[in-house]
Amino acid sequence: MPGDGQAVSIEKMMAITHADFFRSLPNAMQGEDFFIDGGRVIVGDEKQGYRIEIGPEGERRIALLAIPATPATLSFFGYDEAARREVLARFDKAFQRAGG
């Protein structure tokens, strides 16, 4: 990956389908330019950016309840820890689901 030579990757298991992920994505980006390439979202340029890669959809079962499960990996390059935390907080908030 381009940038400072060292990508920092963070893995998440999301309770979301691919369709819901891509529907919520613009809210997570909050105006940032991004490009979608299949199951990858590319943000930034060769100096600073991040990639979001989603894996295959699955599900988790709790008794009769089925919850979607999609793995996601966010890989950052050229971002310091504070900038990564900011993107991750925005990402988590955009994909937060409330029950009720």
Side-chain angles (χ1 to χ4, degrees), residues 32-93:
E32 277 189 286
D33 290 333
F34 63 93
F35 173 75
I36 297 172
D37 179 19
R40 284 190 336 167
V41 178
I42 302 164
V43 181
D45 57 28
E46 63 276 354
K47 294 180 184 171
Q48 181 183 41
Y50 59 96
R51 309 285 185 265
I52 305 168
E53 295 187 50
I54 58 172
E57 279 184 38
E59 68 177 23
R60 293 207 171 164
R61 291 196 157 276
I62 302 170
L64 297 176
L65 178 65
I67 299 169
T70 300
T73 302
L74 290 87
S75 299
F76 296 87
F77 56 94
Y79 275 61
D80 63 20
E81 185 177 342
R84 284 192 307 269
R85 274 191 265 140
E86 182 181 318
V87 170
L88 287 168
R90 191 176 69 215
F91 182 86
D92 289 342
K93 186 174 182 180

Side-chain angles (χ1 to χ4, degrees), residues 22-33:
F22 288 110
R23 188 174 18 260
S24 297
L25 186 62
N27 189 38
M29 295 294 107
Q30 292 186 355
E32 277 189 286
D33 290 333

